[in-house]
C-alpha cells in the first residue's frame, strides 16, 4: 500500500481510534488525523488539506450515516468508509445513499481491512461479505405489489424503471441502449434523472436502492420510443 493515501479517522471512542490508527500505520497507511467528530476534522483540515480517505467508527446506524453525510459535504473528493455492525441490505443501502464508498463490518480482521481499504482507495465500492447471505433472504424485499407504489413515490417514469432494472444487472450504457432500443445519449439522460430523483450519487447506489425496494423485480412495461 502506497503512503500516498492519507487517511483520517473519525470516532467517539478514543481507544478504538488509537487501535485503528496503529493497525493502519503498521500496514503502511498514512494516518494524518484521528478525531472524535466531523467538526474536529474540519478544524484540522487546514493543516491536513490532502485527506484522501475518512474512516468513520459509528455508535449507531443513524449517527454513522449522519456523520458520513456531513463528511461528504465537507470533503467531497475523499473516500468515506463506514464501520458498522448491521449487515442488512436496507442498512447498507442507506449507507451508500449518503455517499459512503465502503461499508465494512467492525469485526473485520486486520488483513481483510487493509485489502478492502486498498480497493476503496482505487475507486471500488466495498460492502460486508455478510450482506451476500442477507441478499439470499426474501423477507428484506418489498412485496411484488409494492414496487409500483415505491416507484410512483419518487416519480420514476416507466422508461426510468426499465433503465433502473438494467442497472441492477450491471448493464453498461451501450448494453442498455441495445436492450431498450434507445440511444446511449438517452440512456445517460435517464440515468442522470434517476440519480436525481433517488438522491443518490452513482449507478451503484441507484442499483442497491432498486434491489432493496423490489423495483429490480418489476416486470418490464410496454416499450415505446425514448
Amino acid at each position: 500500500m502506497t503512503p500516498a493515501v492519507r487517511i483520517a479517522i473519525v470516532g467517539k471512542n478514543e481507544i478504538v481510534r488509537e487501535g485503528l490508527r496503529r493497525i493502519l500505520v503498521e500496514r503502511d497507511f498514512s494516518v494524518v488525523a484521528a478525531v472524535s467528530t466531523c467538526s474536529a476534522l474540519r478544524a484540522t483540515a487546514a493543516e491536513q488539506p490532502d485527506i484522501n480517505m475518512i474512516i468513520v467508527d459509528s455508535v449507531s446506524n443513524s449517527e454513522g450515516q449522519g456523520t458520513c453525510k456531513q463528511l461528504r459535504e465537507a470533503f467531497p473528493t475523499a473516500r468515506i468508509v463506514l464501520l458498522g455492525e448491521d449487515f442488512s441490505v436496507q442498512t447498507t443501502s442507506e449507507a451508500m445513499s449518503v455517499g459512503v464508498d465502503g461499508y465494512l463490518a467492525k469485526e473485520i480482521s486486520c488483513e481483510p481491512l487493509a485489502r478492502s481499504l486498498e480497493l476503496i482507495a482505487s475507486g471500488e465500492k466495498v460492502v460486508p461479505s455478510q450482506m451476500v447471505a442477507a441478499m439470499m433472504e426474501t423477507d428484506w424485499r418489498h412485496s411484488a405489489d409494492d414496487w409500483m407504489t415505491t416507484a410512483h413515490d419518487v416519480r420514476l417514469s416507466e422508461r426510468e424503471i426499465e433503465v433502473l432494472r438494467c442497472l441492477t444487472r450491471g448493464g453498461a450504457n451501450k448494453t442498455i441502449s441495445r436492450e431498450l432500443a434507445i440511444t446511449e445519449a438517452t440512456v445517460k439522460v435517464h440515468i442522470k434523472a434517476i440519480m436525481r430523483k433517488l438522491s443518490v450519487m452513482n449507478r451503484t447506489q441507484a442499483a442497491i436502492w432498486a434491489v432493496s425496494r423490489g423495483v429490480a423485480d418489476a416486470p418490464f412495461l410496454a416499450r415505446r420510443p425514448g
Side-chain angles (χ1 to χ4, degrees), residues 8-221:
I9 301 170
V10 178
K12 293 184 177 179
N13 189 311
E14 184 178 0
I15 295 176
V16 173
R17 294 199 310 269
E18 179 59 20
L20 183 56
R21 187 193 67 79
R22 292 187 180 185
I23 290 171
L24 297 178
V25 169
E26 288 175 359
R27 284 156 181 79
D28 296 325
F29 288 89
S30 176
V31 179
V32 299
V35 297
S36 60
T37 65
C38 176
S39 298
L41 185 60
R42 283 200 299 263
T44 64
E47 301 174 6
Q48 304 290 352
D50 298 322
I51 296 174
N52 307 123
M53 182 181 294
I54 305 171
I55 301 176
V56 178
D57 174 52
S58 64
V59 297
S60 69
N61 294 333
S62 59
E63 184 265 344
Q65 291 168 18
T67 299
C68 289
K69 187 174 182 179
Q70 293 176 45
L71 289 169
R72 173 53 66 212
E73 295 173 353
F75 302 89
T77 62
R79 304 286 182 189
I80 298 178
V81 181
L82 176 61
L83 301 180
E85 296 176 336
D86 184 347
F87 315 128
S88 69
V89 177
Q90 185 67 35
T91 298
T92 304
S93 174
E94 290 171 352
M96 301 300 282
S97 71
V98 297
V100 168
D101 298 288
Y103 182 63
L104 304 179
K106 287 188 178 183
E107 63 186 34
I108 192 171
S109 56
C110 297
E111 292 308 319
L113 171 63
R115 291 195 294 270
S116 296
L117 295 181
E118 290 173 4
L119 286 172
I120 295 168
S122 68
E124 298 294 330
K125 302 289 183 179
V126 177
V127 296
S129 58
Q130 293 90 336
M131 183 179 168
V132 177
M135 292 186 71
M136 299 299 292
E137 301 173 357
T138 58
D139 58 355
W140 61 270
R141 297 174 182 267
H142 288 226
S143 69
D145 295 334
D146 289 341
W147 74 265
M148 187 174 292
T149 299
T150 301
H152 180 268
D153 288 344
V154 292
R155 301 177 183 273
L156 289 175
S157 69
E158 293 180 2
R159 181 61 83 187
E160 287 165 355
I161 292 171
E162 294 176 334
V163 172
L164 189 53
R165 285 199 62 208
C166 291
L167 290 181
T168 66
R169 299 195 298 272
N173 289 354
K174 183 177 293 186
T175 302
I176 298 173
S177 171
R178 289 197 300 266
E179 183 169 350
L180 301 183
I182 56 180
T183 67
E184 286 189 61
T186 301
V187 172
K188 292 179 181 179
V189 170
H190 285 313
I191 292 176
K192 184 175 181 180
I194 290 168
M195 291 192 296
R196 185 186 73 253
K197 291 179 180 181
L198 302 186
S199 298
V200 298
M201 300 183 68
N202 54 52
R203 300 160 69 104
T204 300
Q205 293 174 13
I208 292 175
W209 184 96
V211 171
S212 67
R213 289 163 175 78
V215 178
D217 299 320
F220 272 112
L221 303 171

